[in-house]
Amino acid sequence: MTSFPRAHPSQQKNSPDTPGRITENGVEGVVAKRLDSPYVSGRSSAWIKSPVRRSCELVIVGWWPPTGPARSGRVGSLLLAGRREDGQLVLVGQVGSGFSDTERRRLYSLLDGLAQEAPPVPDAPAIGGVTWVRPRYVGEVAFREYNSPGGLRHASWKGLRESRIADVGMPDQLQ
């Protein structure tokens, strides 16, 4: 069983490096409790869970249409790639949350004219229903975890960025 340090109220500080230290140690997040609240089993508003979310900029290489009634003229989710040091694009996952309806329409209008038959990443697996696109746009994605075989976990779209594709890296290269 892992034990975590506890600080006496007289030793507690609001340290600006705390989020960085949490991320460095691979912790999923922090659970905090009001000091004046006694321990009670179950959920309580006195306990706050704050998950760690990292973010990175990735290249849009494909998209799927949305499911449901309002499908036309919108993007449902995006297929994303990182860029290795040798310049090669590598699939790293997908993102389907964090979009407003306006953003889904905007992305569709930007990506629809970039469609191509072949995947822009080498050794791409066969992926049903995806529309591959020429790599032109970079977007920021927040996520909880990344691992090479599984990709991004709990990804959420933050928006398009002005970055160049040449400046994009891999999610596991984040410090």
Side-chain angles (χ1 to χ4, degrees):
M1 180 173 181
T2 304
S3 66
F4 294 96
R6 298 179 61 146
H8 185 273
S10 66
Q11 297 172 327
Q12 291 175 350
K13 296 178 184 168
N14 192 3
S15 175
D17 66 339
T18 299
R21 290 168 61 203
I22 291 167
T23 302
E24 284 172 11
N25 289 304
V27 177
E28 285 189 26
V30 175
V31 177
K33 176 181 89 61
R34 281 195 347 238
L35 289 173
D36 62 349
S37 173
Y39 176 81
V40 292
S41 65
R43 295 188 179 262
S44 164
S45 61
W47 292 81
I48 300 170
K49 179 180 177 184
S50 299
V52 171
R53 301 207 29 105
R54 300 175 0 185
S55 71
C56 67
E57 294 181 349
L58 297 168
V59 181
I60 300 171
V61 295
W63 62 275
W64 286 274
T67 58
R71 295 178 50 153
S72 65
R74 293 172 178 81
V75 164
S77 61
L78 299 173
L79 189 58
L80 305 166
R83 190 174 160 279
R84 293 191 318 216
E85 288 182 14
D86 65 4
Q88 192 73 52
L89 290 176
V90 178
L91 288 179
V92 297
Q94 72 182 65
V95 60
S97 67
F99 303 100
S100 67
D101 190 59
T102 302
E103 181 73 352
R104 288 182 189 281
R105 289 174 189 265
R106 177 176 161 226
L107 287 166
Y108 177 84
S109 69
L110 292 172
L111 300 174
D112 188 45
L114 300 176
Q116 63 182 38
E117 288 292 320
V121 292
D123 303 321
I127 302 173
V130 69
T131 299
W132 296 106
V133 296
R134 283 191 320 275
R136 181 167 175 196
Y137 293 104
V138 173
E140 183 180 359
V141 177
F143 59 98
R144 283 215 192 146
E145 184 180 14
Y146 172 78
N147 60 52
S148 187
L152 300 170
R153 289 191 59 226
H154 305 284
S156 178
W157 181 251
K158 295 300 171 192
L160 287 173
R161 298 298 178 249
E162 300 282 328
S163 302
R164 299 177 321 137
I165 291 174
D167 295 331
V168 170
M170 293 293 290
D172 59 354
Q173 295 170 339
L174 295 174
Q175 295 300 327

